[in-house]
């Protein structure tokens, strides 16, 4: 059990203010927020790289706020992995153990097991400067885990790898977490990453915790406009009833709109759909009438490099997004009727 109590800290342009969080045993806990939210500062404070100006950090009833990093028994993987270029892969992994003057025969089996678990046995004698981003991540994880930490801290561990590798490594991180049974705190600004990995997540913004909960709680019940904006302003449709259609499908009726969904055995109460996942057209698109609707544009507003449309569909007021050049080509105006398609695979159900 990790408890963070009233933690506050100022470092340059970054700060934390009255952070209170609890992370359970074996829990995969994600800190999610934009750049500058204080996520990295919080994880560095946990690792002992900074001392809080106020507040306490507890692990299993033990107050560790004043302990130096080497006494906290935490495995820490920073954003850049911080591998030592003058050591090969094997030497990087065992660095902390050798620095603590551990006898090789006492840790050899554990290190070998981690190397096998992470699939890096073929890299042991490699120069770390020749490794890919994914390989560096695995080596950094092995080094962090070699000392048998009570808590694993991961700071944007997938930030420097390509999209395809990141998807694979998310699965690997979750597998590793399940096999080791270790409490993990993972920092990211990527919503999909948080959703796939987190048992629970904390939304941080400007050094404060905005909301804590499961991904469903955050998606379907955002506690503030700030949280809604940070996760992409999803459209939340409250469903009045749902009807089984057979063939693995269910029809949900939400504010007079009938939406077809895959059936997973539970009643559909709410549907979430991001503005970017609504296809908008001024002419009726070809194809089957599955999750296709007409609506009336009630608002138009610029948003970053996009244009946001508020569209009335049945009793629902939906937010959709379009690239500016596409919006200008379509010449959409307030009061105009438009055609919408909800992307089936992007519908999130609660």
């Amino acid at each position: 059990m990790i408890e963070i109590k009233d933690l506050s800290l100022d470092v340059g342009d970054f700060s934390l203010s009255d952070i209170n969080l609890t992370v359970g045993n074996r829990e995969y806990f994600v800190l999610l927020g934009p750049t500058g939210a204080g996520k990295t500062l919080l994880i560095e404070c946990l690792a002992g790289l900074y001392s809080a100006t106020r507040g306490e950090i507890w692990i299993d009833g033990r107050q560790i706020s004043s302990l130096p990093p080497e006494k906290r028994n935490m495995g820490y993987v920073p954003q850049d992995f911080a591998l030592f270029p003058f050591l090969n892969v094997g030497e990087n992994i065992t660095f902390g153990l050798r620095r603590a003057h551990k006898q090789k025969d006492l840790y050899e089996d554990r290190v070998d097991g981690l190397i096998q678990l992470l699939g890096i046995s073929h890299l042991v004698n490699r120069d770390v400067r020749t490794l890919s981003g994914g390989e560096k991540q695995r080596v950094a994880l092995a080094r962090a885990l070699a000392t048998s930490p009570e808590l694993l801290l991961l700071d944007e561990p997938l930030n420097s790898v390509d999209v395809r590798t990141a998807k694979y490594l998310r699965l690997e991180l979750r597998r590793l977490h399940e096999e080791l049974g270790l409490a993990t705190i993972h920092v990211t600004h990527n919503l999909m990453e948080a959703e796939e990995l987190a048992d629970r997540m904390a939304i941080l913004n400007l050094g404060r915790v905005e909301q804590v909960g499961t991904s469903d709680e955050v998606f379907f019940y955002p506690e503030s406009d700030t949280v809604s904006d940070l996760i992409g302003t999803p459209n939340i449709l409250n469903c009045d009833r749902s009807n089984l259609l057979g063939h693995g499908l269910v029809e949900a009726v939400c504010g007079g709109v009938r939406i077809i969904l895959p059936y997973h055995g539970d009643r559909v109460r709410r549907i979430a759909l991001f503005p970017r996942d609504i296809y908008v057209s001024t002419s009726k698109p070809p194809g089957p009438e599955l999750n296709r609707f007409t609506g009336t544009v009630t608002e138009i507003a610029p948003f970053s490099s996009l244009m946001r449309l508020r569209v009335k569909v049945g009793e629902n007021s939906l937010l959709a997004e379009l690239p500016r050049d596409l919006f200008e080509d379509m010449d959409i105006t307030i009061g105009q009727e438009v055609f919408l398609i909800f992307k089936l695979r992007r519908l999130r159900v609660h």
Side-chain angles (χ1 to χ4, degrees), residues 23-273:
V23 179
N25 182 34
R26 302 173 67 94
E27 185 173 26
Y28 203 115
F29 193 89
V30 172
L31 302 175
L32 176 67
T35 300
K39 308 182 300 297
T40 291
L41 185 57
L42 177 53
I43 212 168
E44 288 176 341
C45 194
L46 289 172
L49 303 182
Y50 292 106
S51 295
T53 53
R54 186 167 64 85
E56 299 174 344
I57 302 169
W58 295 72
I59 294 186
D60 289 336
R62 181 169 59 104
Q63 223 266 69
I64 65 163
S65 307
S66 60
L67 295 180
E70 65 273 15
K71 298 292 186 180
R72 296 192 178 202
N73 197 22
M74 296 182 182
Y76 174 49
V77 179
Q79 285 188 37
D80 61 359
F81 305 132
L83 298 176
F84 303 118
F86 52 87
L87 300 177
N88 67 21
V89 167
E91 291 166 340
N92 261 278
I93 293 171
T94 58
F95 177 82
L97 294 164
R98 289 183 287 110
R99 189 165 180 243
H101 305 294
K102 300 286 186 181
Q103 293 183 353
K104 186 176 181 180
D105 58 342
L106 296 178
Y107 64 72
E108 197 167 19
D109 287 346
R110 175 172 177 79
V111 170
D112 287 345
L114 284 171
I115 287 171
Q116 294 298 323
L117 183 64
L118 288 160
I120 55 174
S121 56
H122 62 295
L123 301 176
V124 170
N125 296 313
R126 283 268 298 275
D127 185 328
V128 295
R129 291 168 293 188
T130 68
L131 302 180
S132 69
E135 290 169 339
K136 287 179 180 178
Q137 189 226 42
R138 290 186 182 92
V139 174
L141 277 169
R143 184 179 64 184
L145 294 167
T147 56
S148 303
E150 294 177 87
L151 174 65
L152 180 61
L153 306 174
L154 305 175
D155 189 5
E156 298 276 9
L158 307 180
N159 206 27
S160 61
V161 298
D162 60 80
V163 173
R164 184 175 180 179
T165 303
K167 184 173 180 61
Y168 170 73
L169 290 176
R170 286 197 295 270
L171 296 174
E172 286 295 289
L173 281 173
R174 192 69 215 192
R175 177 186 65 85
L176 184 68
H177 174 76
E178 297 296 337
E179 291 197 26
L180 294 176
L182 188 66
T184 301
I185 299 179
H186 177 127
V187 164
T188 184
H189 63 275
N190 186 303
L191 182 62
M192 182 181 297
E193 191 174 309
E195 182 184 0
E196 288 189 13
L197 288 168
D199 293 319
R200 288 187 306 136
M201 63 179 75
I203 309 297
L204 267 67
N205 188 46
L206 300 177
R208 295 180 179 274
V209 175
E210 294 283 343
Q211 185 171 349
V212 179
T214 64
S215 59
D216 274 354
E217 288 168 343
V218 170
F219 271 78
F220 288 97
Y221 303 96
E223 294 178 357
S224 67
D225 289 340
T226 298
V227 173
S228 184
D229 289 342
L230 287 174
I231 63 174
T233 322
N235 294 291
I236 307 296
L237 284 72
N238 292 302
C239 300
D240 309 307
R241 63 183 186 277
S242 55
N243 311 306
L244 286 178
L245 300 177
H247 305 289
L249 296 174
V250 61
E251 177 189 67
V253 182
C254 313
V257 175
R258 298 176 181 273
I259 302 171
I260 307 301
L261 303 155
Y263 181 59
H264 298 295
D266 297 318
R267 180 182 166 228
V268 179
R269 292 178 174 83
R270 283 187 160 195
I271 294 174
L273 181 63

Side-chain angles (χ1 to χ4, degrees), residues 317-334:
S317 180
L318 303 178
L319 199 61
E321 290 175 351
L322 286 172
R324 287 199 183 208
D325 55 349
L326 183 57
F327 169 81
E328 290 169 1
D329 287 344
M330 290 194 288
D331 194 27
I332 297 174
T333 58
I334 291 176

